[in-house]
Amino acid sequence: MTNEATDLHSAALEADRFGLFVAGVADYAIYVLSPEGIVSSWNVGAQRFKGYTAAEIIGQHFSRFYTVTDIANGVPARALKTAIECGKFEDEGLRVRKDGTQFWATVVIDPIRDNKGELIGFTKITRDITERREAAALLEKAKEALFQSQKVESLGRLTGGIAHDFNNLLSVIANGIEILRLTTTNPSHTKILDSMESAATRGANLTQQMLSFARQQPLKQELHDLNRIVISFESVLRRALKSAVQFELNLASALPDTLVDAVRFEAALLNLIVNSNDAIAESGRVTVSTYLAEVKYNQVKGLQAGRYVCVSVKDTGHGIDTEQLDKVVEPFFTTKPIGKGTGLGLSQVYGLMQQSEGGMEIRSTLGEGTEICLYMPVSESDSSTKNVAAKNSKVLVVDDQPEVLDTAAQLFRALGYDVFAANNGRDAIELLQRHKDLNLLFSDIVMPGMSGLELARIAMEMNPALKIILATGYTAEMVEKQAEYSAQFTVISKPYKISEIVQRLQAQ
């Protein structure tokens, strides 16, 4: 065999091996096109991505992999033309599988020329990047959610600080007005004082809304059937709407109870109804619905997966622009005309949901209306609140007020505890030393001599496994600022309910 023949034979073998390699590649669709775009080869990757066997696709035009819109816009022909003129065509876009489903792909088309430079076809390489794009989209969504959460959290801290300081200023003004009333009988002065008092009251209401957004308002959470709250509040909700606006209730039956501050929830619901009424120009419809929702991870922004009772307020108003949806919960942002709203309504509702470990979702379409869904976590506790304590569980109750001490002791007996009582920190420590099998310490914070915080610190050193709940007439946030170690204990606000104690016990 001559050298030339040997070279040709080697080249043929190399081409065969390369052809076998290309045919077996599964991660890329690699195939050859004629100058007109007709498929003339087909590998395993192409079959895996697009669903066609070689017999089904060879001889067909490659444009069948493009969407109807791309074909109408001449994208396939332009791709081949670009490859010829520029020596390569690269793109990223949607492609169509045999079953009609679409996937994202990166595409590279190279022209094939013979020794004379004449075009004899194209090689086309396609890779499915759907998973990569979806992962990138999820990452971007998570970044946006984190940014929004951090922004709202920062606004909350700023708003809460301003509200606390403003409350102090209002206290001075309100007290000053009262003093002035005692020193004047002039009718014109009295009228001015009335106006000043009215303004101070509106300012106080404004700070309460700001504190609600900042999640710094103490909640009195109890087990409630949200349907009963809605039904009992229905007449008030109806009166908040214009006469030409229809009001509908669509309440699911047999909903589980939720831990909720009923008064604040009613205020939030009324707030949403008023917003819906303002969004409807003349006539329309507002529907309040309840249902049990099984929320999956990342389904509702900022909400953990689990079971929730959802209360939905849906209207047929003008809707909210998509770009404004993430802003409407920010304090002082409003879509209403100047002078028609403070911009604290939705932020107050949002703050309540966050403080209640729930969530809020807004869906809106311009010209069609808005739906706001409030998600309240389902209470897994028995609403009877009995038998919470394990067998032989023992609690030490400490309070310097005899009537409060007796009432607290009765509450824990109702929960199934063996109760020990003390009216000061010194006696409490003696009981802790004698009864080392105590499971729980429940103490008031503000007591003469040894405070509840000091008692809790000593008790924790004596028995690190001891559960500790402290009661106070102050907000938990204020208490936690009194001492570094207060953050280690559960704090409950007075006046407390048996359901609140159950909630704290189940959280430990």
Side-chain angles (χ1 to χ4, degrees), residues 264-474:
R264 295 194 183 280
F265 188 81
E266 287 176 346
L269 195 57
L270 179 60
N271 206 319
L272 297 184
I273 294 294
V274 170
N275 282 350
S276 291
N277 182 69
D278 292 342
I280 298 173
E282 296 179 2
S283 62
R285 183 174 63 257
V286 175
T287 304
V288 176
S289 306
T290 62
Y291 56 90
L292 183 62
E294 292 284 350
V295 177
K296 298 179 181 178
Y297 173 74
N298 211 30
Q299 181 179 339
V300 178
K301 184 185 295 184
L303 203 61
Q304 298 293 324
R307 298 170 70 233
Y308 295 83
V309 174
C310 180
V311 179
S312 159
V313 177
K314 186 176 183 179
D315 63 58
T316 57
H318 52 66
I320 304 171
D321 186 271
T322 304
E323 295 181 356
Q324 296 180 330
L325 281 179
D326 286 336
K327 299 179 181 178
V328 292
V329 299
E330 297 177 5
F332 307 113
F333 180 88
T334 178
T335 59
K336 297 178 182 179
I338 296 175
K340 296 296 184 180
T342 63
L344 284 171
L346 284 180
S347 65
Q348 184 179 5
V349 177
Y350 175 81
L352 174 64
M353 290 299 101
Q354 294 294 302
Q355 197 171 358
S356 303
E357 298 183 358
M360 182 170 76
E361 184 179 28
I362 305 176
R363 311 176 190 127
S364 188
T365 303
L366 279 178
E368 296 182 12
T370 300
E371 180 179 14
I372 297 181
C373 301
L374 307 181
Y375 293 87
M376 298 297 298
V378 169
S379 173
E380 301 299 336
S381 63
D382 183 349
S383 60
S384 67
T385 69
K386 294 181 179 179
N387 300 322
V388 172
K391 186 177 181 181
N392 299 323
S393 291
K394 298 178 180 180
V395 60
L396 172 58
V397 180
V398 187
D399 200 296
D400 63 304
Q401 298 294 322
E403 63 278 6
V404 177
L405 179 63
D406 183 62
T407 301
Q410 292 296 332
L411 286 178
F412 279 98
R413 289 191 184 99
L415 294 175
Y417 280 90
D418 292 333
V419 179
F420 297 81
N423 60 11
N424 59 70
R426 185 185 65 256
D427 291 348
I429 291 175
E430 291 181 2
L431 285 170
L432 286 167
Q433 289 172 337
R434 291 203 306 267
H435 301 278
K436 299 186 183 300
D437 58 345
L438 283 164
N439 308 102
L440 173 66
L441 170 64
F442 184 85
S443 174
D444 187 24
I445 288 181
V446 181
M447 297 186 295
M450 183 184 296
S451 73
L453 288 171
E454 293 173 303
L455 171 62
R457 176 177 57 79
I458 295 171
M460 190 174 65
E461 291 175 354
M462 295 172 62
N463 182 4
L466 184 69
K467 294 181 179 179
I468 298 175
I469 298 179
L470 302 178
T472 178
Y474 297 94

Side-chain angles (χ1 to χ4, degrees), residues 26-304:
D27 291 336
Y28 291 84
I30 305 174
Y31 51 98
V32 176
L33 304 177
S34 72
E36 295 75 30
I38 304 299
V39 179
S40 58
S41 72
W42 197 244
N43 77 332
V44 172
Q47 181 172 333
R48 186 170 73 88
F49 291 171
K50 304 188 180 185
Y52 295 97
T53 64
E56 290 175 315
I57 203 64
I58 290 177
Q60 303 292 320
H61 197 273
F62 85 111
S63 61
R64 70 185 309 155
F65 308 135
Y66 286 74
T67 64
V68 174
T69 302
D70 283 348
I71 293 173
N73 291 333
V75 174
R78 191 159 58 249
L80 297 184
K81 182 180 179 182
T82 302
I84 294 171
E85 295 176 350
C86 302
K88 178 179 285 189
F89 172 80
E90 294 183 71
D91 189 25
E92 186 176 299
L94 285 172
R95 296 295 182 267
V96 182
R97 296 187 178 96
K98 177 184 176 181
D99 61 5
T101 59
Q102 297 181 350
F103 66 101
W104 277 95
T106 57
V107 176
V108 178
I109 300 177
D110 289 292
I112 305 173
R113 300 182 183 276
D114 60 17
N115 294 333
K116 299 178 180 179
E118 296 293 329
L119 180 70
I120 60 174
F122 301 90
T123 58
K124 190 171 186 292
I125 302 175
T126 303
R127 187 178 187 185
D128 187 342
I129 60 168
T130 304
E131 291 184 0
R132 189 182 76 186
R133 282 184 62 91
E134 290 177 348
L138 285 174
L139 179 60
E140 186 62 28
K141 186 176 180 181
K143 287 181 178 178
E144 290 177 2
L146 178 61
F147 173 75
Q148 181 66 15
S149 175
Q150 290 174 335
K151 181 171 68 172
V152 172
E153 189 67 29
S154 297
L155 284 170
R157 288 196 296 269
L158 175 62
T159 303
I162 293 173
H164 280 303
D165 292 342
F166 195 48
N167 262 339
N168 291 334
L169 298 176
L170 286 173
S171 296
V172 175
I173 294 172
N175 292 332
I177 292 171
E178 291 299 316
I179 294 172
L180 289 173
R181 284 189 186 281
L182 299 174
T183 60
T184 183
T185 57
N186 188 317
S188 61
H189 290 174
T190 302
K191 187 174 182 180
I192 293 172
L193 290 175
D194 288 340
S195 298
M196 291 172 64
E197 186 173 36
S198 176
T201 300
R202 289 199 301 272
N205 291 334
L206 191 64
T207 59
Q208 293 303 307
Q209 290 179 304
M210 293 166 68
L211 286 171
S212 292
F213 170 76
R215 289 169 275 171
Q216 295 181 16
Q217 287 288 75
L219 298 181
K220 294 182 179 179
Q221 292 180 303
E222 296 178 299
L223 285 171
H224 284 285
D225 180 344
L226 289 185
N227 278 347
R228 291 185 179 180
I229 293 179
V230 173
I231 291 171
S232 65
F233 205 51
E234 179 182 355
S235 59
V236 177
L237 300 178
R238 286 185 182 276
R239 287 197 296 271
L241 296 171
K242 296 186 279 279
S243 59
V245 177
Q246 301 176 27
F247 181 77
E248 297 180 1
L249 286 181
N250 182 18
L251 308 181
S253 59
L255 289 176
D257 289 345
T258 65
L259 273 171
V260 62
D261 186 319
V263 174
R264 295 194 183 280
F265 188 81
E266 287 176 346
L269 195 57
L270 179 60
N271 206 319
L272 297 184
I273 294 294
V274 170
N275 282 350
S276 291
N277 182 69
D278 292 342
I280 298 173
E282 296 179 2
S283 62
R285 183 174 63 257
V286 175
T287 304
V288 176
S289 306
T290 62
Y291 56 90
L292 183 62
E294 292 284 350
V295 177
K296 298 179 181 178
Y297 173 74
N298 211 30
Q299 181 179 339
V300 178
K301 184 185 295 184
L303 203 61
Q304 298 293 324

